[in-house]
C-alpha cells in the first residue's frame, strides 16, 4: 500500500470514528455494534442514524444491555468532555414531545457539521481550543495577581531554585495540570526524551511551511524541545510551559473554557508528534518505506477474529491508546479479558450459528503500552457526565502473554477451564451462603451461631430477679398489696371465681377501681430476667445438647470444607497463567496518571517510576516529591477520596533502551545535565540559567541592603533608648553582654521589675543563709538559691495554663537540657543587670557579676550556641503569642483574623518541636484549632456561595481563594495526620456537591474556575500571607493572658474530628 493510500485509509477511518463519536454523544448509546449498524442503515446520514437509534432506544431498554467499545485505530479520537457546561438556551426535553427531541438532535448535528465544513476543525479539536484559550487567559491573568494568591511564584528565587539531581516540575499556568501530567510521563521515557531533543525539522520547510500541519506542528516541536531541554538542565525548581501551550492555543480559535481531558490531550499530542516525525521520515528515506519513531514507540496491532451474522471474519487493526471499561471489574486483567471478547463468544467456534461476536488478539505490542481507563460515563437520567469511583487494582508487572495471538489456543483452553472453575465456584459460594446466612426471614445469621444460641438457651436456668419479689405473690397480677385485710384464697371463693362466673363481690370491685401504675406495670413475678426454658428434664436436656453439639460440629466442618474449596479454586484461577510459558511478555508499570475530582472539574498528577533509584516519584505541577507504591495504590486504585487512575503507561521490560541513560562514546561516562543536549539547546538553557542566576544575585543584594538598613535602625533605636548612667561603659569586647529583651529592659519595665524582685529575693535569702558577707560569696549563694527555685519549677508537672517556661528562660533551658555553661552565663547576666537595685549590697554583687562575665574566655562559652539558645526561647515566646491571640480570636468567632495566627503558631511550633519535645506547645491542640478554623471558614464561604447573591458569592470565593485554598497544602504535607486529611476531604466534598445541582450559568462558571484550585493536591507551599505583626507583652502579662485563654478552652482535640 502506498503512503497516499495509507493516508486516505486513515482519513476515512478517522471520519467514520468522528461520526460514531457524534452519534454516541447525541444519543447516549454506547453499543459500538448498534452505532455501526445505524451508520450502515443510514448510509452515513447522521439525522437518519439518530432517528434509527432513537427508535431502537425507545423499544429496547439500555439498562440490561452489554456495553462495548469501539476499537481504537490510528487517528481515532475517543474523547470524553470534562468540564463542559450546558448552554442556557436549550430545548426542553423533559416532556414527551418527540418533535422537540428530533429538532434538538437535528440542530446539534447541523451545528456540528456546519462548523466542520466551515473551519475544517472537528468538535474534539474545538474542545482542545477552548481549554487552551482558558489556559492562556488564566496565565495572563495570573501576572496581575498579588503574591498572596495560590498560583503565583514566590518572590524569593531561592525558593524556586532546583535542588541537586531533583527532577524539574512544570508550572500550572491555569487549568493545565493535564499538560504537566502527560508531559512528565513522556519526558521520563528516556528514548522519547532523546527523540524530541534531537529532532530537527525537515530542511525543505525551514523557510516556509507548506500547509497547516507544518505551520502548526513544527513550531510546537521546537517549543517542546525547548521545554524538554529546560527540564533536563535548568537550575530552576520548575519551568513555565506557557509557550508550548501557546502554540497549541494558536492552532485553534474558540472562546469557551473547560479543563482538558488527559486522554484527549495525549491523543492529540501523539498525533502531532507523529505528523512531525512523518515529515522528517519522508525526507530522510532513501527509496525505502519511511519509519515513524512515534508509531514504532506507541502503536501496536491486533487481530479481530469473529462472527458477524453467521459469517466468520478476521481483520488486522492498529491501535494506540487501548480503551478499557472500569465499571463492573475489580482488576486490570478482568478489564482486559472483557475488552478482548465482544458479543457471544460461544458462537465463534460453532459452524452453523447466526450469533455475532469477536475476539481480539494482539499480534504486535508497542514498546510503550498505554491503557485509557474509562472512568467517566454519561448519566442519561441526569443528563450529565459522572465519574466512576469504583476501585480497580492493577499490577506493577503485567504479563501480556494470555492476550497474544500466538497463544490463542492455549489461552482459549485456560479461559474455558477458568469458566468451568468459576461456575463451580458460584455453586460452592451459594452453598456457603446458606450456611452463613441461615433463615427464611429478613434477618439471617450463621447456622453454627444459631445452633450455639439454641444450645445456650436450652442449658439456661430460669433466674427471677424481678422487682416484684417483695410483693405478695398470692395477689393476682393486676392486684395490690396495699389492702388492710388479706385477700380470700381461691378455695374460699368457690365457684364464683370460675371464668364463666367472675367475682362480683365488693372486695373485687374495690381492687378494680384502684389504679397503681408502679406496681401494675411491673413484670409478673414468675417471668425470668433472661430467656430460658420453663420446663425441661435432665434427659431432654442431655439429648438436645448432644444433638446440637453434633449438628454444630457438622455445620462447622461443612463450612470449613466449603471455604477451603473456594480458596483452592481462587488460588487455582490466580495461578492459571503463572507457568513460565505465559510469562514471556512482561510489561512494567512506568507511569500512572491520576485524576481527583468529579466529571466536571478536577486535578491531575502523575506517579512515575524511577528505575535507577528504584522508587516512585510524584509529579504534581511544580512539586516533585518522593513517593511509594503504597501511596500510589491509595490514590490510584479508586475508592479513596475522589482520586483514581485515569491512564496507565506500561513499558516492555525486555526493551531497556526505553529507559537507558545515554553514554559518551569516547569516555564511556554517563551523560547528564547539559551534556545530554544538542548544541542549540545547550545554549538556550545556558541563557535561561544565566537569567536565573542574575535574579538570585539581585535578590541577595536587595536582602543584604535590607539587613544593613534594619541593623542600622536597630542600633539607632538601642542608642536612643539607653538611659544616662554614671557607670563607666564596658570595653568593646564586652558587647555580647547586651541582654535578651525578655530578661532585662534598659528602662524599668514590668519585666525588669519582675526580674529585679526575683534577684533581690535570692540575694536576701543568700545573705540570711551565708556566713561570709563578701560580694563574691553572696553572688555564688544567690545564684544557687535562684537556680534551685527555677529547677523546682522545671521539674513540676503542671497543666498547660501554668507553663513555667514562660515565666523564666532558665526553666525552658533546664527542660530542654541546655549545656551547663549556657545556664551559668544566663544567670550571671541576670545578676549583672544595672537595674538590679539601688542599695550598696546589690550594686556590689552586680559589679562582681559583670567582672566574672568579663573574665569568661571565648573558648569557655560558645557565643553562637548561646545566641542560638536565646533565639530559640524568643521563638518560643513568639509562638506562644501567636497561639494565644489565635485562640482568643477563635473564641470570639473572628475566624478570618484567627486563621493566620493559628497557621503561623503551628508552623513555628513544628520547627521548635523538631529540636525537642519540650521546645514548643502541644501540637495536637494547635492542629485541632487550625483545622476547626479552616472548617468554619469553609462553611461560611459555602453558605455565602449558596445565597446566589453576587456580592456574597464573590466574598465567599474570596475567602476560599485567599485564606482556605493556600492553607490546604499545609494540612496535606503531613499525610500521617489523618484528621487533617479528613478535614480537607470534607471541605472539597462540600464544594464538589454543587456540581450535581442546578444553578445559574454565572455561578456554574465561577464554580468551574474555582474547583481546580481547591482540588489541587500539591503539597507545595506556595506564596503566602506575611505573618501578623505581634504586640509586645511583659512576662507577667503574657503568662496571665495565656493562662486565661488556656483555662477557658471549651473543647479538646479528643472531641474533634
Amino acid at each position: 500500500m502506498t503512503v497516499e493510500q495509507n493516508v486516505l485509509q486513515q482519513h476515512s477511518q478517522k471520519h467514520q470514528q468522528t461520526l460514531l463519536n457524534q452519534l454516541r454523544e447525541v444519543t447516549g448509546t454506547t453499543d459500538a455494534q448498534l452505532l455501526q449498524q445505524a451508520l450502515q442503515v443510514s448510509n452515513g446520514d447522521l439525522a437518519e442514524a439518530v432517528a434509527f437509534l432513537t427508535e431502537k432506544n425507545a423499544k429496547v431498554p439500555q439498562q440490561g444491555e452489554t456495553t462495548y467499545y469501539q476499537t481504537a485505530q490510528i487517528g481515532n479520537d475517543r474523547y470524553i468532555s470534562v468540564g463542559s457546561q450546558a448552554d442556557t438556551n436549550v430545548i426542553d426535553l423533559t416532556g414527551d414531545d418527540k418533535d422537540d427531541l428530533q429538532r434538538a438532535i437535528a440542530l446539534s448535528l447541523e451545528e456540528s457539521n456546519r462548523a466542520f465544513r466551515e473551519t475544517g476543525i472537528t468538535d474534539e479539536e474545538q474542545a482542545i481550543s477552548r481549554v487552551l484559550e482558558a489556559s492562556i487567559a488564566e496565565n495572563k491573568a495570573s501576572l496581575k495577581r498579588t503574591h498572596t494568591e495560590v498560583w503565583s511564584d514566590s518572590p524569593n528565587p531561592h525558593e524556586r531554585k532546583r535542588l541537586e539531581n531533583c527532577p524539574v516540575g512544570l508550572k500550572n499556568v491555569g487549568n493545565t495540570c493535564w499538560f504537566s501530567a502527560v508531559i512528565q510521563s513522556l519526558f521520563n521515557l528516556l528514548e522519547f526524551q532523546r527523540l524530541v531533543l534531537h529532532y530537527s525539522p525537515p530542511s525543505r520547510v525551514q523557510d516556509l511551511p507548506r500547509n497547516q500541519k507544518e505551520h502548526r506542528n513544527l513550531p510546537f516541536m521546537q517549543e517542546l524541545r525547548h521545554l524538554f531541554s529546560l527540564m533536563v538542565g535548568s537550575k530552576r525548581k520548575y519551568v513555565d510551559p506557557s509557550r508550548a501551550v501557546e502554540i497549541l492555543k494558536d492552532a485553534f480559535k474558540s472562546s469557551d473554557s473547560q479543563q482538558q481531558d488527559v486522554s484527549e490531550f495525549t491523543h492529540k499530542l501523539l498525533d502531532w508528534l507523529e505528523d512531525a516525525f512523518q515529515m522528517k521520515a519522508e525526507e530522510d528515506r532513501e527509496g525505502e518505506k519511511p519509519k515513524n519513531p512515534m508509531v514504532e514507540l506507541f502503536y501496536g496491532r491486533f487481530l479481530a477474529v469473529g462472527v458477524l451474522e453467521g459469517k466468520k471474519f478476521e481483520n488486522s487493526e492498529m491501535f494506540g491508546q487501548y480503551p478499557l471499561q472500569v465499571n463492573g471489574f475489580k482488576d486490570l486483567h478482568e478489564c482486559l479479558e472483557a475488552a478482548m471478547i465482544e458479543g457471544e463468544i460461544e458462537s465463534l467456534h460453532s459452524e452453523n450459528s447466526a450469533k455475532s461476536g469477536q475476539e481480539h488478539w494482539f499480534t504486535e505490542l508497542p514498546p510503550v503500552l498505554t491503557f485509557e481507563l474509562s472512568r467517566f460515563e454519561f448519566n442519561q437520567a441526569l443528563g450529565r457526565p459522572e465519574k466512576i469511583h469504583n476501585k480497580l487494582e492493577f499490577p506493577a508487572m503485567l504479563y501480556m502473554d494470555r492476550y497474544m495471538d500466538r497463544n490463542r489456543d492455549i489461552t482459549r483452553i485456560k479461559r474455558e477451564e477458568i469458566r468451568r472453575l468459576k461456575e463451580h465456584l458460584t455453586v460452592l459460594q451459594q452453598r456457603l451462603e446458606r450456611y452463613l446466612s441461615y433463615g427464611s426471614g429478613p434477618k439471617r445469621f450463621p447456622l453454627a451461631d444459631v445452633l450455639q444460641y439454641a444450645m445456650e438457651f436450652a442449658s439456661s436456668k430460669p433466674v427471677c430477679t424481678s422487682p416484684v419479689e417483695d410483693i405478695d405473690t398470692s395477689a393476682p397480677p393486676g392486684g395490690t398489696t396495699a389492702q388492710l385485710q388479706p385477700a380470700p384464697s381461691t378455695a374460699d371463693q368457690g365457684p364464683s371465681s370460675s371464668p364463666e362466673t367472675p367475682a362480683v363481690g365488693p372486695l373485687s370491685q374495690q381492687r378494680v377501681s384502684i389504679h397503681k401504675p408502679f406496681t401494675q406495670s411491673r413484670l409478673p413475678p414468675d417471668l425470668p430476667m433472661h430467656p430460658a426454658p420453663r420446663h425441661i428434664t435432665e434427659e431432654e436436656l442431655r439429648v438436645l445438647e448432644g444433638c446440637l453439639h453434633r449438628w454444630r460440629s457438622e455445620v462447622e466442618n461443612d463450612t470449613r470444607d466449603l471455604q477451603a474449596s473456594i480458596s483452592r479454586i481462587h488460588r487455582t484461577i490466580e495461578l492459571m497463567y503463572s507457568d513460565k510459558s505465559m510469562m514471556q511478555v512482561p510489561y512494567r508499570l512506568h507511569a500512572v496518571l491520576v485524576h481527583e475530582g468529579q466529571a466536571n472539574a478536577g486535578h491531575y498528577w502523575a506517579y512515575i517510576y524511577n528505575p535507577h533509584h528504584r522508587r516512585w516519584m510524584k509529579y504534581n505541577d511544580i512539586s516533585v516529591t518522593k513517593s511509594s507504591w503504597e501511596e500510589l495504590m491509595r490514590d490510584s486504585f479508586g475508592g479513596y477520596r475522589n482520586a483514581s487512575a485515569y491512564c496507565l503507561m506500561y513499558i516492555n521490560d525486555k526493551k531497556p533502551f526505553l529507559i537507558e541513560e545515554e553514554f559518551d562514546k569516547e569516555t564511556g561516562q554517563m551523560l547528564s545535565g547539559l551534556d545530554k543536549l544538542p548544541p542549540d539547546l545547550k545554549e538556550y538553557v545556558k541563557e535561561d540559567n544565566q537569567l536565573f542566576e542574575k535574579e538570585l544575585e539581585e535578590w541577595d543584594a536587595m536582602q543584604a541592603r535590607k539587613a544593613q538598613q534594619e541593623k542600622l535602625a536597630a542600633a539607632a533605636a538601642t542608642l536612643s533608648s539607653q538611659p544616662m548612667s554614671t557607670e563607666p561603659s564596658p570595653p568593646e569586647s564586652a558587647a555580647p553582654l547586651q541582654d535578651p529583651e525578655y530578661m532585662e529592659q534598659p528602662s524599668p519595665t514590668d519585666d525588669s521589675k519582675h526580674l529585679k524582685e526575683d534577684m533581690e529575693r535570692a540575694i536576701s535569702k543568700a545573705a540570711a543563709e551565708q556566713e561570709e558577707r563578701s560580694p563574691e560569696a553572696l553572688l555564688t549563694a544567690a545564684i544557687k538559691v535562684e537556680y534551685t527555685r527555677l529547677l523546682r519549677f522545671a521539674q513540676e508537672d503542671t497543666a498547660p495554663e501554668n507553663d513555667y517556661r514562660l515565666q523564666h528562660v532558665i526553666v525552658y533551658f533546664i527542660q530542654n537540657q541546655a549545656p551547663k555553661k549556657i545556664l551559668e552565663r544566663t544567670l550571671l547576666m541576670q545578676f549583672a543587670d544595672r537595674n538590679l537595685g539601688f542599695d550598696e549590697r546589690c550594686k556590689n554583687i552586680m559589679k562582681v557579676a559583670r567582672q566574672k562575665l568579663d573574665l569568661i574566655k571565648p573558648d569557655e562559652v560558645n557565643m553562637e550556641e548561646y545566641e542560638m539558645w536565646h533565639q530559640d526561647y524568643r521563638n518560643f515566646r513568639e509562638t506562644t503569642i501567636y497561639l494565644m491571640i489565635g485562640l482568643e480570636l477563635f473564641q470570639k468567632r473572628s475566624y478570618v483574623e484567627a486563621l493566620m495566627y493559628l497557621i503561623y503558631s503551628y508552623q513555628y511550633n513544628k520547627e521548635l518541636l523538631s529540636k525537642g519535645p519540650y521546645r514548643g506547645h502541644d501540637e495536637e491542640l494547635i492542629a485541632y484549632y487550625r483545622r476547626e478554623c479552616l472548617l468554619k471558614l469553609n462553611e461560611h464561604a459555602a453558605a455565602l456561595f449558596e445565597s446566589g447573591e453576587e456580592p456574597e458569592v464573590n466574598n465567599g470565593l474570596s475567602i476560599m481563594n485567599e485564606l482556605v485554598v493556600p492553607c490546604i497544602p499545609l494540612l496535606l504535607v503531613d499525610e500521617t495526620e489523618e484528621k487533617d486529611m479528613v478535614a480537607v476531604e470534607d471541605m472539597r466534598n462540600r464544594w464538589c456537591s454543587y456540581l450535581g445541582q442546578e444553578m445559574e450559568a454565572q455561578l456554574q462558571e465561577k464554580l468551574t474556575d474555582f474547583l481546580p484550585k481547591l482540588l489541587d493536591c500539591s503539597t507545595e507551599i506556595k506564596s503566602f500571607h506575611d505573618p501578623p505583626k505581634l504586640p509586645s507583652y511583659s512576662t507577667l502579662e503574657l503568662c496571665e493572658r495565656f493562662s486565661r485563654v488556656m483555662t477557658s478552652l471549651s473543647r479538646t482535640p479528643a472531641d474533634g474530628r
Side-chain angles (χ1 to χ4, degrees), residues 761-991:
R761 193 181 303 113
I763 292 171
S764 299
K765 187 173 181 181
E769 297 174 353
Q770 188 73 19
E771 294 181 1
E772 187 180 348
R773 300 300 178 115
S774 67
E776 286 191 14
L778 284 175
L779 174 62
T780 303
I783 287 177
K784 185 176 180 181
V785 168
E786 179 68 358
Y787 180 77
T788 303
R789 179 180 75 91
L790 297 175
L791 179 63
R792 187 174 68 252
F793 286 160
Q795 292 173 342
E796 281 188 27
D797 187 13
T798 59
E801 58 265 24
N802 298 320
D803 195 335
Y804 287 126
R805 293 176 298 174
L806 291 172
Q807 296 184 16
H808 206 288
V809 63
I810 293 295
V811 178
Y812 183 85
F813 285 175
I814 292 172
Q815 289 191 356
N816 290 288
Q817 301 177 348
K820 183 180 177 183
K821 294 288 186 182
I822 304 296
L823 296 173
E824 290 174 353
R825 184 178 179 86
T826 304
L827 284 168
L828 272 176
M829 293 289 286
Q830 287 185 199
F831 284 96
D833 182 6
R834 288 193 179 92
N835 298 315
L836 182 58
F838 298 100
D839 62 21
E840 198 64 31
R841 183 176 63 186
C842 289
K843 283 186 178 181
N844 290 334
I845 288 176
M846 180 264 291
K847 290 178 181 178
V848 172
R850 286 190 158 298
Q851 290 170 1
K852 284 184 175 293
L853 285 170
D854 292 339
L855 292 174
I856 295 176
K857 298 178 181 178
D859 59 344
E860 292 180 2
V861 177
N862 187 333
M863 290 307 297
E864 288 185 5
E865 185 181 18
Y866 177 83
E867 287 299 328
M868 181 195 72
W869 276 96
H870 281 274
Q871 183 59 49
D872 281 354
Y873 186 66
R874 281 191 285 271
N875 294 342
F876 170 71
R877 279 174 61 100
E878 285 185 4
T879 301
T880 304
I881 295 171
Y882 278 120
L883 175 60
M884 177 185 72
I885 296 176
L887 292 176
E888 288 174 343
L889 291 169
F890 184 89
Q891 290 179 331
K892 294 176 183 177
R893 299 185 179 181
S894 301
Y895 303 121
V896 173
E897 294 82 2
L899 180 62
M900 284 301 107
Y901 287 98
L902 293 172
I903 288 292
Y904 277 100
S905 69
Y906 183 88
Q907 294 303 112
Y908 293 157
N909 190 68
K910 194 173 185 68
E911 293 175 11
L912 289 170
L913 292 178
S914 66
K915 299 181 179 180
Y918 301 106
R919 296 282 186 122
H921 295 286
D922 181 3
E923 189 172 29
E924 287 189 14
L925 176 80
I926 309 177
Y928 169 77
Y929 282 98
R930 178 185 69 162
R931 186 166 59 246
E932 283 298 304
C933 194
L934 283 168
L935 287 168
K936 298 284 187 186
L937 286 172
N938 186 71
E939 286 300 310
H940 178 57
L944 291 173
F945 183 81
E946 289 174 1
S947 70
E949 300 294 329
E950 187 171 359
E952 282 77 6
V953 169
N954 292 336
N955 188 18
L957 292 176
S958 176
I959 290 173
M960 294 300 295
N961 283 320
E962 295 178 10
L963 294 174
V964 178
V965 170
C967 293
I968 284 180
L970 301 175
L971 272 65
L972 294 177
V973 71
D974 186 2
E975 295 193 351
T976 59
E977 291 294 334
E978 186 66 27
K979 294 176 183 176
D980 285 348
M981 303 285 283
V982 171
V984 171
E985 279 309 299
D986 286 351
M987 290 188 278
R988 287 173 170 169
N989 289 338
R990 176 65 185 271
W991 290 90

Side-chain angles (χ1 to χ4, degrees), residues 177-204:
C177 48
W178 46 270
F179 182 90
S180 174
V182 174
I183 290 296
Q184 290 283 18
S185 302
L186 294 173
F187 174 81
N188 281 276
L189 282 170
L190 298 186
E191 177 65 13
F192 180 85
Q193 181 189 121
R194 284 189 287 269
L195 286 171
V196 171
L197 290 174
H198 293 279
Y199 177 83
S200 58
S203 57
R204 61 179 171 77

Side-chain angles (χ1 to χ4, degrees), residues 523-630:
L523 296 173
D526 57 345
L527 186 66
M529 289 303 292
H530 60 81
R534 296 295 184 92
H535 304 288
I536 186 169
T537 65
E538 290 295 328
E539 181 64 20
E540 289 173 335
L541 181 60
R542 184 178 60 79
V543 172
L544 186 56
E545 282 185 339
C547 291
L548 289 172
H549 269 295
R550 185 175 71 253
W551 294 340
R552 184 167 181 266
S553 177
E554 292 170 355
V555 167
E556 288 177 341
N557 289 335
D558 291 346
T559 303
R560 278 194 297 268
D561 290 343
L562 285 169
Q563 289 172 334
S565 298
I566 289 171
S567 297
R568 281 195 300 272
I569 292 177
H570 276 302
R571 185 64 176 161
T572 303
I573 292 174
E574 288 174 5
L575 298 176
M576 187 64 71
Y577 295 99
S578 62
D579 51 293
K580 195 173 181 180
S581 64
M582 299 299 283
M583 299 176 70
Q584 300 301 308
V585 189
Y587 272 76
R588 183 179 55 76
L589 187 62
H590 164 71
V592 180
L593 279 62
V594 180
H595 175 270
E596 180 176 38
Q598 304 296 333
N600 298 76
H603 178 67
Y604 292 99
W605 69 92
Y607 290 103
I608 304 173
Y609 186 70
N610 186 321
H612 307 291
H613 295 97
R614 297 191 176 184
R615 65 164 170 255
W616 286 93
M617 302 291 290
K618 182 178 181 180
Y619 290 79
N620 193 345
D621 290 335
I622 66 173
S623 172
V624 183
T625 55
K626 295 178 183 177
S627 187
S628 63
W629 176 249
E630 289 71 28

Side-chain angles (χ1 to χ4, degrees), residues 44-57:
D45 188 310
L46 284 174
E48 288 187 20
V50 170
F52 174 82
L53 289 172
T54 307
E55 241 176 82
K56 279 273 187 184
N57 292 342

Side-chain angles (χ1 to χ4, degrees), residues 2 114 125 140 190 195 200 254 285 612 691 720 735 880 968:
T2 65
R114 185 173 67 251
E125 291 169 333
K140 290 178 179 177
L190 298 186
L195 286 171
S200 58
S254 180
R285 70 174 176 175
H612 307 291
L691 290 174
S720 64
T880 304
I968 284 180

Side-chain angles (χ1 to χ4, degrees), residues 653-711:
D653 203 42
K654 288 187 174 182
K655 295 186 178 180
F657 72 90
L658 293 168
I659 52 173
E660 272 182 349
E661 293 284 358
E662 199 172 356
F663 291 86
D664 187 277
K665 294 178 181 178
E666 296 179 0
T667 64
Q669 297 292 321
M670 186 178 76
L671 299 178
S672 62
L674 296 178
D675 294 334
K676 298 173 69 172
L677 303 178
D680 63 321
L681 294 180
K682 189 178 295 185
E683 289 302 315
Y684 177 79
V685 175
K686 281 182 179 179
E687 290 176 7
D688 186 76
N689 285 341
Q690 287 171 2
L691 290 174
F692 185 61
E693 287 171 358
K694 185 178 179 181
E695 187 180 354
L696 289 169
E697 291 171 2
E698 291 174 351
W699 172 266
D700 291 340
M702 183 178 67
Q703 296 306 307
R705 288 194 300 271
K706 281 186 179 180
Q708 185 65 23
Q709 291 169 0
E710 290 173 0
K711 188 175 181 181

Side-chain angles (χ1 to χ4, degrees), residues 79-85 127 130-131 178 257-264 375-376 385 387 595-604 646 1008:
Y79 301 142
I80 301 170
S81 179
V82 179
S84 59
Q85 300 176 19
R130 287 195 291 272
V131 71
W178 46 270
S257 66
Q258 66 176 52
Q259 187 171 32
Q260 184 59 300
D261 179 84
V262 164
S263 62
E264 293 181 43
R375 282 200 173 270
F376 295 124
K387 185 178 178 184
H595 175 270
E596 180 176 38
Q598 304 296 333
N600 298 76
H603 178 67
Y604 292 99
Y646 194 40
T1008 306

